[in-house]
Amino acid sequence: MPKCLINGKEVEFEAGKNIVEVAKKAGVEIPVFCYHPGLTVVAQCRMCYVEVGTPGKDGKVQMIPKLQTACSTAATEGMVVLTQSEKVKKGQKATMEFLLLNHPLDCPICDKSGECDLQDNSFKYGDAYMRHSEERRTYVDLDMGPVIQKNMNRCIHCTRCIRFGAEIAGIREMVAIQRGNNTEITTIDGKELQTEYAGNYADICPTGSLTLKDFRFHKRAWMLKKTPTICEGCSRGCNMEIHHQNGVLERCIPRENMEINRYWLCDEGRFHFRDIQNDDRVTTPMIAGAVSDWNAAIAKAKDALKGKKTAILIGTDLTTEEAKLIKETASQLAPGAQVFHFGTPGVNSVAQDGDADKLLKRKSKTANLNGIETLGIKPLESLSGVQAVMAFGGGRAVMPELSGVSPSNVVAAGVFFRSKSSQFAAVLPGLSFYEKSGSVTNFQNKEQKFVRAVASPKGCKPLSEILMTWVHQDKSGVA
Amino acid sequence: MSTEKLYLQHFNDEARSLDYYLQKMGGYKALKKAFSMSQDDIINEVKKSNLRGRGGAGFPTGMKWGFIPKQSPKPKYLVCNADESEPGTFKDRDIMRYTPHLLIEGMVIGGFAIGAHHGYIYIRGEYTREAKLLWAAIEEAYAKGFLGKNIQGSGFDFDLTVHRGAGAYICGEESALLNSLEGKRGEPRVKPPFPAQVGAFGGPTIVNNVESLSNIPFIIDKGGEWFSGLGKLERSGGTRLISVSGHVKKPGIIEVGAGSVTIRDIIYNHCGGVLGDRKLKAVIPGGSSAPVLTADEIDVIYDIEPLMKLGTMMGSAALMVVNDSYCVVKLLTRITKFYAHESCGQCTPCREGCRWMEDILHRIEHGHGKEKDLEMLLDIADNINGKTLCALGDAAAGPVMSFVKKFKSDFEAHIRGGKCPNA
Amino acid sequence: MAKILSQKFYDEMKKLEPRYPTKVALLLPALHQAQEETRWLPPEVLDEIGEYIGIHPAQVREVASFYTMYNLKPVGKAHIKICTNVACALRGAEELVEHCEKKLGIRCGETTDDQKITIMEEECLGACGTAPALMFNDDYVENVNLSKMDELLARGLNS
């Protein structure tokens, strides 16, 4: 591998990599704003200045007199890079000063505060004193739809959002209009963002110019606890981080995984937790739509299945561990019951799954189709001849048409919603991905484990506990 | 003093036609000669001529052509930079409206030399009349087989298209020009790659100024050595069309052998002296981005290297003369306003810094300056200079640094007096 | 969507199309051609151009707003753009601007109430040897003095 010298330290690097990346690998931070590893390099913000020298034919290193931008300069064999020379520091200070000339400095009321590149870099590389005393530039913001809140006054014109739209989301809806000092980054005439990946605009914005409406004024970033997890929205299994405080989920952001989702997350996955954290969710045992207790509900459930030809349906939105446990317990739940899986209408198998768009979304709207298929569980074809159903689901799997089976002979366990289960014999409330640990296998055969982020609502129980109670209730008579 | 002129005697309305060009200027003779030469020979001839880019950077044209890859999977392009937007410059306009065939012939030869089959003339949008005249000349050339398929039986095909800009100084920067040609915002590109590798529509591209390309027929016809001999200093060949404006009695274009005159010669011998016979205050020697010179500095030879030694530049050979009737603070404010207005807005120092300097200068001009403003202006200019994505930052910083240093007392008088002393 | 631009527009574009390897390259010529027809470029015209070229309307807007020659607001019948850059300023352009503003009772960038004249300050027009210069619609007028200016204003007001 070729080597270069960064601040006097010899660093090996992969040919073709730019200095920002090479330095990062060597543990040297070079501050950036416009640079993003997933987007084209534009070298616009001028924050990543470095001094660069290359060896001439005689082997002597010739320093380039002008500061270079590390993002747009590829490391070469024998290159000498200085990231903190006096010249570099002056350049960084200058850029910070320029960027803050027109910035409102409204950090106290800005959602980005605490996780803001502008704030962080200002603290590390800027000056505490401001020389500018002219009038500030201001903009009037038009609405951009339900996902993103825009505040152009905070914008530093890094154009990450424009490039994300054009290069990743595949739509040139965010554009720069006017030019020079008056350049405005915007959609036109207050048009709503059309992309289904709009949340990423907020993630990649290095300042508080584009923030999530959903998260607006909810919490300060530094109050949040962050737990890595896997998105349960489709069979891609995007890596994400769930942010929460006191057991309340606040937001999800993507977590880099170059093999699965790279840096991105779709809005459906990002905001799925809102569907779970919903008043409609069943969070106490229910009998025929009425609140009950565990003992009564399980007794009622058993009663509903008793002596009937039963199908056990396993949602492909469950973890592999849960599905395995259900499969193993099936004969004790309903002797002679057949076991099927269900999830996304029209996508009954891995073979039927496929990309739903050019970026991340998959046709299978559940996370573990592959994992559950691997357990040898067959997809539900038909319920003919079936008199009762016991369905296990995690909130994403779509209940199949129960033609021929009376709702009063249906028992549901897991994440279910009142509006869709009020006629069921019993609902035994279980846990969402955010409330449990487990593993799922995505369409690429990658098994991914995740851990519990928050405690479940009081009335809910893990499936293992529900099954255990079911099996042992008869023996002890007490749950 | 060399009296040889290549252009000036033809700068009239009769010269425009193809007939005139063929009969009076030996038109398209060089093209025939070029077709009998190899591509390398043509490029070598241009190298020998010491022709240096007439757009502003002064880069040797032959060397630039040499950068184009011989083989390329993508089509190559020759683009003529006719954006002529550096304030003070107006020579290319005359070439295009009076001797358009000179440019067309130069482009066909250039296209042949670098292996391009399509050329674009990117002309600034305001030159509507010149664009129409160019189109008309191009049609004449097509009709007579000087453009199009199998030009003059050579087997070489070359098409030429006039592409109008729409009001953006920055499109004179070659990579911004290429973006604009491609239907995008005229924002400069990150370099490398340079246009010779990845230029217009992704293909290797050479971008040359109007006057540079118009010199090509002369060079091929009479030889690189002859052309080089027109220049008086070692490294600059040919004649220079100098745009002289401002406070001289006879503003306009003069043509002299490169390096054959001083600024004093230009003002007093060629242009009739300072307007109103007033005292000379300042000279901006190479378009408004060139650092300013004082009246004491005008004995410099007007060519690339001597001006560089003085810390300024020849740029596009646009000389602007200022007498003592105009306030230099006001002048610098106006210059800085221009660069702030023309900043594309991509990179931070230029987008933010140019406007900041404009605001400060505006304050000083109107008597609201503070003592520390001057030092701050110099520091801001230093923070822009050499740190931007393209040369516009330097273009904005250079005037500020030079005016503030060289006319410090004028600025101080505004600050201390609370108004313009001449107001 | 009903078409606003004429057949001539589409014919001109068809003529130019083979001269460029991409269709997006037609954007600047298309905006020029459209403006010749409509004097200024309302959103509907920009959208029509976008549809013709096959790009998102926002992309048309971002390009059109970059260049000062495209009028994104209505302009008067006489559009007078006075260069006030260095060479013209040295030769009295500011006086011309003041004169116009006073005479018309509007500021630079504004249009007279009867929609007849728009005046604007312009950057360097490349006519510095014949300064001060201005553009009267598409035409250059050079060596302008106050009496020439008055003639132009009269021409504008009588249009």
Side-chain angles (χ1 to χ4, degrees), chain B residues 365-381:
Chain B
E365 186 201 333
H366 290 91
H368 305 297
K370 296 171 220 148
E371 285 290 331
K372 60 175 190 187
D373 281 343
L374 295 182
E375 196 190 318
M376 189 163 84
L377 265 176
L378 291 175
D379 190 54
I380 297 168

Side-chain angles (χ1 to χ4, degrees), chain A residues 341-350 352 369 373 378-381:
Chain A
H341 69 70
F342 73 106
T344 313
V347 188
N348 285 332
S349 65
V350 170
Q352 286 172 3
L369 177 61
E373 197 174 287
K378 296 273 175 287
L380 173 68
E381 300 284 348

Side-chain angles (χ1 to χ4, degrees), chain B residues 342-409:
Chain B
E342 299 300 334
S343 165
C344 81
Q346 271 192 111
C347 79
T348 307
C350 179
R351 178 186 65 244
E352 305 294 341
C354 291
R355 172 64 65 82
W356 190 12
M357 293 197 300
E358 182 196 340
D359 286 348
I360 296 169
L361 283 165
H362 189 267
R363 247 194 314 108
I364 297 175
E365 186 201 333
H366 290 91
H368 305 297
K370 296 171 220 148
E371 285 290 331
K372 60 175 190 187
D373 281 343
L374 295 182
E375 196 190 318
M376 189 163 84
L377 265 176
L378 291 175
D379 190 54
I380 297 168
D382 181 59
N383 285 341
I384 299 172
N385 196 32
K387 295 185 184 64
T388 48
L389 189 75
C390 78
L392 197 144
D394 301 359
V400 171
M401 294 198 273
S402 61
F403 270 87
V404 171
K405 279 181 197 153
K406 290 186 178 174
F407 298 105
K408 198 166 184 203
S409 59

Side-chain angles (χ1 to χ4, degrees), chain B residues 198-214:
Chain B
V198 184
F201 308 107
T205 302
I206 294 293
V207 183
N208 287 137
N209 164 265
V210 174
E211 186 187 348
S212 308
L213 287 165
S214 300

Side-chain angles (χ1 to χ4, degrees), chain C:
Chain C
M1 197 169 66
K3 293 234 187 303
I4 298 166
L5 296 168
S6 72
Q7 191 53 43
K8 189 179 165 225
F9 169 87
Y10 288 95
D11 292 344
E12 287 295 322
M13 289 302 109
K14 199 150 219 157
K15 260 198 274 173
L16 281 177
E17 214 179 307
R19 292 188 166 270
Y20 296 96
T22 64
K23 208 167 174 189
V24 188
L26 287 172
L27 187 48
L28 267 68
L31 291 164
H32 277 305
Q33 185 68 32
Q35 184 160 296
E36 231 170 77
E37 286 186 6
T38 57
R39 302 273 306 146
W40 72 288
L41 300 166
E44 308 80 61
V45 168
L46 297 173
D47 291 353
E48 187 175 332
I49 291 172
E51 200 180 300
Y52 163 69
I53 291 179
I55 52 178
H56 195 281
Q59 205 177 334
V60 182
R61 225 63 78 83
E62 89 171 332
V63 172
S65 67
F66 185 86
Y67 299 95
T68 53
M69 280 183 76
Y70 298 129
N71 304 322
L72 300 180
K73 284 191 304 195
V75 292
K77 272 192 173 165
H79 192 185
I80 302 175
K81 299 188 263 189
I82 307 161
C83 173
T84 59
N85 207 301
V86 179
C88 288
L90 292 174
R91 288 277 181 162
E94 289 140 341
E95 225 183 313
L96 292 178
V97 170
E98 263 174 50
H99 182 72
C100 284
E101 290 187 334
K102 224 187 201 159
K103 199 145 183 194
L104 298 173
I106 54 172
R107 303 292 303 269
C108 267
E110 294 175 352
T111 304
T112 52
D113 287 339
D114 57 7
Q115 306 300 312
K116 281 191 172 158
I117 301 182
T118 301
I119 49 168
M120 278 182 184
E121 250 189 79
E122 182 60 285
E123 291 301 351
C124 183
L125 291 169
C128 323
T130 43
L134 58 82
M135 280 184 92
F136 188 93
N137 293 334
D138 276 348
D139 301 323
Y140 273 52
V141 186
E142 295 162 69
N143 291 315
V144 184
N145 50 32
L146 290 181
S147 66
K148 222 178 197 176
M149 195 77 223
D150 281 335
E151 275 171 47
L152 293 172
L153 293 182
R155 216 168 99 197
L157 290 170
N158 293 328
S159 61

Side-chain angles (χ1 to χ4, degrees), chain A residues 325-443:
Chain A
L325 197 63
I326 298 164
K327 196 183 165 202
E328 282 165 2
T329 333
S331 60
Q332 296 180 61
L333 296 173
Q338 288 176 286
V339 180
F340 303 106
H341 69 70
F342 73 106
T344 313
V347 188
N348 285 332
S349 65
V350 170
Q352 286 172 3
D353 192 13
D355 287 336
D357 67 11
K358 284 183 182 151
L359 190 48
L360 298 176
K361 292 186 179 195
R362 300 281 298 172
K363 285 184 190 158
S364 168
K365 290 288 159 209
T366 57
N368 203 21
L369 177 61
N370 195 357
I372 283 169
E373 197 174 287
T374 308
L375 292 176
I377 300 167
K378 296 273 175 287
L380 173 68
E381 300 284 348
S382 139
L383 284 172
S384 75
V386 171
Q387 298 162 304
V389 163
M390 165 124 208
F392 294 89
R396 298 260 330 154
V398 177
M399 275 293 268
E401 202 57 44
L402 297 173
S403 50
V405 182
S406 155
S408 58
N409 290 340
V410 175
V411 175
V415 178
F416 285 85
F417 299 95
R418 270 177 241 271
S419 53
K420 286 180 183 153
S421 62
S422 58
Q423 293 175 39
F424 292 172
V427 180
L428 311 173
L431 313 182
S432 74
F433 270 30
Y434 316 106
E435 298 148 2
K436 66 193 177 191
S437 303
S439 54
V440 289
T441 304
N442 84 346
F443 75 103

Side-chain angles (χ1 to χ4, degrees), chain B residues 87-287:
Chain B
T89 320
F90 49 93
K91 64 189 173 67
D92 293 341
R93 180 176 172 222
D94 276 6
I95 295 177
M96 291 187 284
R97 62 176 166 166
Y98 295 130
T99 58
H101 284 286
L102 208 47
L103 172 60
I104 295 170
E105 184 176 4
M107 287 196 74
V108 183
I109 297 172
F112 179 69
I114 64 166
H117 295 286
H118 205 128
Y120 293 95
I121 300 174
Y122 184 98
I123 185 169
R124 58 176 301 173
E126 292 85 354
Y127 285 173
T128 34
R129 179 161 176 266
E130 289 70 20
K132 280 184 191 143
L133 294 174
L134 275 175
W135 269 122
I138 286 171
E139 268 164 36
E140 276 184 304
Y142 269 107
K144 288 280 159 68
F146 295 118
L147 280 172
K149 294 256 177 272
N150 189 20
I151 295 172
Q152 302 295 306
S154 63
F156 177 66
D157 305 338
F158 192 74
D159 285 303
L160 191 54
T161 298
V162 179
H163 187 96
R164 287 177 64 204
Y169 164 79
I170 190 60
C171 291
E173 196 275 350
E174 62 179 5
S175 65
L177 182 154
L178 294 174
N179 275 340
S180 184
L181 175 64
E182 292 179 9
K184 300 172 186 159
R185 290 163 67 84
E187 290 167 343
R189 299 174 178 173
V190 185
K191 281 148 277 191
F194 291 94
Q197 283 95 49
V198 184
F201 308 107
T205 302
I206 294 293
V207 183
N208 287 137
N209 164 265
V210 174
E211 186 187 348
S212 308
L213 287 165
S214 300
N215 275 322
I216 300 298
F218 297 120
I219 292 168
I220 298 304
D221 185 31
K222 298 190 175 168
E225 245 164 71
W226 168 84
F227 188 86
S228 177
L230 296 174
K232 295 303 152 226
L233 299 185
E234 208 181 314
R235 290 174 55 202
S236 299
T239 64
R240 300 286 319 224
L241 292 173
I242 304 170
S243 313
V244 189
S245 63
H247 293 148
V248 287
K249 287 180 185 165
K250 288 190 296 174
I253 295 169
I254 66 165
E255 182 177 14
V256 295
S260 67
V261 293
T262 62
I263 292 180
R264 186 182 294 280
D265 289 333
I266 296 172
I267 298 174
Y268 292 98
N269 298 331
H270 291 266
C271 296
V274 177
L275 192 69
D277 290 317
R278 294 185 71 118
K279 213 174 133 211
L280 180 66
K281 175 86 180 184
V283 175
I284 303 170

